[in-house]
Every structure is written in C-alpha cells, then in structure tokens.
Amino acid sequence: MLGAAVRVVARSDRAGIGAVGGVLVVALLAVSALTWLGVYRWQRSHRQRVAYANGLLTVTDRRGRSSSVEPTAATAHPVRGSKGESVLLVVSGTAGRTPVVLRAEHWDWQRLQDRVFRPCGFTIALASERDSTPQALRTAYPGLRLPFSVARPYLFAALLTVGILVLIAAVVVLVSLPYLTSGTGS
C-alpha cells in the first residue's frame, strides 16, 4: 500500500499535476477508508447492548433497534453464512412473542450465561446443523428476523463482490484522473 501511494505521488509529479495532487488523492482514499471503519466500530461498540432487568431480556442492535423478550429458553444454532461458520443464539420467550437473535461474534457468551441465563434458570442448548438452516429457523421460530448474511448468503456475497469491484474501479479512476486531465496520455 505504501509503495502504491509513493507511485501515485511520483507519477502525479511527473504528469505535471504535482506531488500535492498525488498526496491529495492518497490522503482522500485513506481518510475515507478510516472514516468508514471508525463509524462501523463506533456503531458496534456504542449501540449494541444486552440488558436483563425485571425478567425481561432487551437486545439493542448496532442500528439502535431494540427487541425484548421474557426468556424461557436459549438455543445456539451453528449456521453457515457468507462469512463462514457462525453461531446464532435464539432466545425464546413466552408464547406469541418473537424471539431475539444474538450473533456469537458480537457477545461474550460466558458473561451472558452468568448474568442472564443462569438467573433465568436455564442454560444454552445446542441445536444440530439440520435444525439451523434459515428455512428451519423460520419454521421453528415464526417472525424471527435473521441477519441478512445468514438469511441470503449468496445474495450477500454477490453484493459484497460488486461493492469491492466498485471500490477498485473508484480507486483506479482516482489514480488515473491526474493522467487523464494532464493530456499527456500514458
């Protein structure tokens, strides 16, 4: 990455744009990537919450949406999504209430077990892979809202691929822009 940045600056200088133009392109790309990562990290660390009070489990996701359930059972489902193997914890409640979903990679399971599930009087059960497909989960838990990457892994992978290709195209255009505007050609 550092070598590519130096090449962009050097070629910008040779093309008559100046080293400042090349540095500006590199800085713009770096700042945009760091801003996106910072916002994503902030959303995950400041908005996600699990709280258990007065017999009610409340889960707030990274977008700020909350779901509550009076927990009666918790089942860990090993699922395959576009990101590989993952574990979804489905916490069921009283009849008529939609269960809540927790993703394994976002939470400390030992803390949840000690602070939420043991006081409720149950432990986390493990479901089989056959019972953990998106169709089986929707059948077993009507109204369950699955993460997009789990519910539609092929579509998620295709969208992710298109997004990466668009990002690469944007970088190529930004890097080529000084050469195109200088009129010197290759």
Side-chain angles (χ1 to χ4, degrees), residues 28-106:
L28 180 66
L29 288 172
V31 166
S32 64
L34 290 174
T35 300
W36 182 82
L37 288 172
V39 167
Y40 182 75
R41 182 172 164 80
W42 176 81
Q43 274 189 330
R44 290 196 59 190
S45 65
H46 285 72
R47 287 191 173 177
Q48 286 190 162
R49 300 270 186 264
V50 173
Y52 180 70
N54 301 327
L56 198 64
L57 177 70
T58 304
V59 177
T60 305
D61 68 7
R62 68 177 187 202
R63 293 179 185 96
R65 297 180 300 207
S66 293
S67 304
S68 296
V69 69
E70 187 177 325
T72 57
T75 308
H77 291 273
V79 295
R80 291 186 191 151
S82 63
K83 299 176 185 175
E85 290 286 325
S86 183
V87 175
L88 294 181
L89 179 67
V90 179
V91 182
S92 303
T94 55
R97 298 287 307 244
T98 302
V100 296
V101 176
L102 299 169
R103 292 189 78 148
E105 58 266 19
H106 297 174

Side-chain angles (χ1 to χ4, degrees), residues 118-138:
R118 281 203 184 113
C120 292
F122 58 87
T123 58
I124 300 171
L126 182 62
S128 67
E129 284 188 31
R130 190 189 72 198
D131 296 332
S132 299
T133 64
Q135 296 84 7
L137 287 169
R138 286 188 191 107

